[in-house]
Amino acid sequence: MKTATGIIRALNSGIKHLAVKRFTLRYPEEKLEFVGDGYQFDPSTGVGIAGLKGRHMLFHDHCTGCQLCSIACEGVAEAIGMVKVPEEQKQNKKSIMPQIDYGKCVFCGLCVDACPFYALYMTNDYELSSFSKEGLIYTPAQLAVKPYVRQDSSIQITERGATHG
Amino acid sequence: MTLNVGPQHPGSGHMRIIVQIDGDHIVACDPDPGYVHRGEEKMAEYRNYITNIPHLERPVIHDSCNILYPYVLGVEELLGIETPERAKYVRVIASELNRCIYTMYWLAIYGIFLGHSTMFMWPAGDRELLIDLMEKMTGARVTHAHFVPGGVRNDLPPNFEDVCLRQVNYFEKRIKEYADIFYDNPILISRTRDTGVLSRQDAIRLGTTGSVLRASGVDYDVRKKEPYDVYDELDVNTNVMKEGDSYARSRVPWLDMMESCNIIRSALEKMPSSGSVRVKLKPNPKGGHDTVYKRVESGRGSLGCYIVSDGKPEPYRVKMSVGSFRNLIALPYLLKGEKLGNMPAVYWSLNYWPVEADR
Ligand code: SF4
Ligand code: SF4
């Protein structure tokens, strides 16, 4: 008898969920909302600013070519290589800037923590797939582009359960 | 007859269990881990104290805050860093959220091991509530690389406390609903009750830890016995069951998740509302000639980290003592004489994570 009521209660618990709203996020029709413009770091206080650790963004007018980001990444993934850039910036004597290989990067953000000149941040862009390995290597010019990321869905908690909306 | 379960079988995780069977009964069993050994400990000797962080958390990506915790505490002691109060609370919240995320994943797999596919879908979905919180907090859904010696990488985003409280409360309401469908379900009870019984003496003798130890009636939790960070200011209640069977071992982590929700709530209440969360370190900090051993309670039991420093920016040796490996030792004792069909129920109830055991 106890077994029978137990099974009925278990079934009932499942059936009740027919009336509950769907929680699944319908990616890619819906995309998640993030808290900021990506993970950033303030070298003056030594504390980061919360945000998604996505694709990097390089500010050409701040980067001095000091290679500290590349040194920080050496112990992690060796994803950063320093490459020559055609343009001349007065703070960047050697005209070298980081190039990031997203086939290797693990999105830890330690390079952002290492940059003392507010030149390297992370953005909310996480859709980085490519058909070739070369397509994953982002040159300094590609890293300078601010991505557009659609964000239209976050977790809503109502009486009838949680949904994405 | 000898039967190899794994290492490719999705159910075994990346490990092989060599079982000798006689008809339907297991005569002997030999767990064979090591298929996902990545040499994390050796790699740690070639990287400095900070760049060790992203790769040392790889063994358990679902529980990456907890696996880093003892390392970070150890490095703080080596370098003589005093962590700010707010950072300690943030770390406790992050590690409790991570414990729940790990346990939900484990529970989902336990469900599918027992053929209960609803119990795979529900935890895998409800986990999203907490993953979303971790993403807001640390910027990554798994492998957060959030803890550093001297605090955490970034402060909480604005309005995080409210969102956290709301989602954790809802999460707790959801996991309580698992009672009817899973934990009080007569079918689950008949599959797991009295299978793989580990007595209190054996649990202590074999050196098991975490939920396995607590399910055998030993009240031991590192958060309570040797509180680290601010656990001594928070009430930690442990859940202990006497039976020591697979059912008790599967129930204790579920009760622990509710306790984690309580800890998160009281940590959010007691957390200082402002203040620094990270001490500024010199680049390439060096430790003295010293050794430290720190341990914390992870989702799988006590997790220790032993660090030897010889005055260089890189540690001389990093050794992890992980709960998964210690619990795996009990498997041959538990499976002896069991029916082969009970193997998944016993094996996964050990709260074992293959990658962590191999490191
Ligand atoms: S995020 Fe980490 S892995 Fe990626 S480039 Fe920066 S340091 Fe290297
Ligand atoms: S991005 Fe920053 S750390 Fe990297 S080279 Fe430029 S200034 Fe130096």
Side-chain angles (χ1 to χ4, degrees), chain B residues 193-234:
Chain B
R193 186 66 92 199
D194 296 327
T195 58
V197 181
L198 184 67
S199 67
R200 187 188 153 96
Q201 285 84 354
D202 282 348
I204 297 170
R205 193 170 55 87
L206 293 169
T208 58
T209 165
S211 58
V212 178
L213 192 59
R214 289 197 290 276
S216 293
V218 185
D219 186 3
Y220 185 84
D221 188 314
V222 184
R223 288 176 291 173
K224 205 164 134 184
K225 299 283 172 195
E226 296 170 20
Y228 45 95
D229 271 1
V230 286
Y231 275 112
D232 47 354
E233 290 164 35
L234 304 165

Side-chain angles (χ1 to χ4, degrees), chain A residues 15-161:
Chain A
I15 290 166
K16 265 193 289 186
H17 279 77
L18 289 173
V20 168
K21 281 189 179 168
R22 182 189 53 220
F23 183 52
T24 318
L25 174 77
R26 306 178 83 192
Y27 181 83
E29 283 86 30
E30 292 176 320
K31 292 185 179 176
L32 268 186
E33 215 171 81
F34 304 117
V35 286
D37 284 336
Y39 178 74
Q40 303 178 353
F41 183 74
D42 186 352
S44 64
T45 55
V47 181
I49 299 158
L52 188 83
K53 291 181 185 132
R55 195 260 274 171
H56 297 74
M57 167 122 190
L58 177 71
F59 295 91
H60 284 222
D61 48 344
H62 289 294
C63 179
T64 60
C66 67
Q67 308 189 16
L68 283 177
C69 51
S70 147
I71 293 167
C73 194
E74 252 165 41
V76 182
E78 298 181 3
I80 302 187
M82 301 302 294
V83 292
K84 268 252 170 303
V85 285
E87 80 226 38
E88 299 227 333
Q89 299 274 3
K90 66 173 178 318
Q91 85 283 5
N92 198 332
K93 292 271 159 5
K94 287 182 273 186
S95 289
I96 52 171
M97 280 182 198
Q99 158 182 301
I100 302 181
D101 181 353
Y102 286 105
K104 292 179 178 172
C105 177
V106 296
F107 301 95
C108 64
L110 285 185
C111 50
V112 177
D113 286 15
C115 178
F117 301 105
Y118 302 89
L120 198 60
Y121 285 158
M122 287 173 125
T123 62
N124 288 331
D125 186 8
Y126 52 93
E127 291 166 320
L128 295 165
S129 55
S130 159
F131 282 108
S132 66
K133 275 187 182 173
E134 293 74 34
L136 289 171
I137 300 177
Y138 277 58
T139 59
Q142 279 170 298
L143 289 175
V145 183
K146 191 170 165 50
Y148 167 70
V149 187
R150 189 157 60 82
Q151 308 179 21
D152 47 17
S153 183
S154 61
I155 293 180
Q156 309 289 335
I157 293 171
T158 58
E159 294 289 287
R160 284 176 59 212

Side-chain angles (χ1 to χ4, degrees), chain A residues 3 6 9-10 17 23 32 34-35 39 41 43-44 46-48 50-53 72 75 106 108-110 113 161-162, chain B residues 47 51 54 58 122 125 128 132 135-136 138-139 141 144 153-155 167 170 174 177 180 184-186 277-278 280:
Chain A
T3 312
R9 268 182 37 218
H17 279 77
F23 183 52
L32 268 186
F34 304 117
V35 286
Y39 178 74
F41 183 74
S44 64
V47 181
L52 188 83
K53 291 181 185 132
V106 296
C108 64
L110 285 185
D113 286 15
Chain B
R47 284 153 175 80
T51 47
R58 250 62 196 172
W122 284 14
E128 176 67 26
D132 183 73
E135 181 192 291
K136 290 192 165 79
T138 70
R141 291 168 68 85
H144 318 287
R153 294 271 293 281
N154 55 262
D155 205 344
Q167 281 177 217
Y170 181 71
R174 279 290 299 162
E177 286 175 24
D180 271 356
D184 294 344
N185 189 335
V277 290
R278 187 175 179 181
K280 219 172 165 179

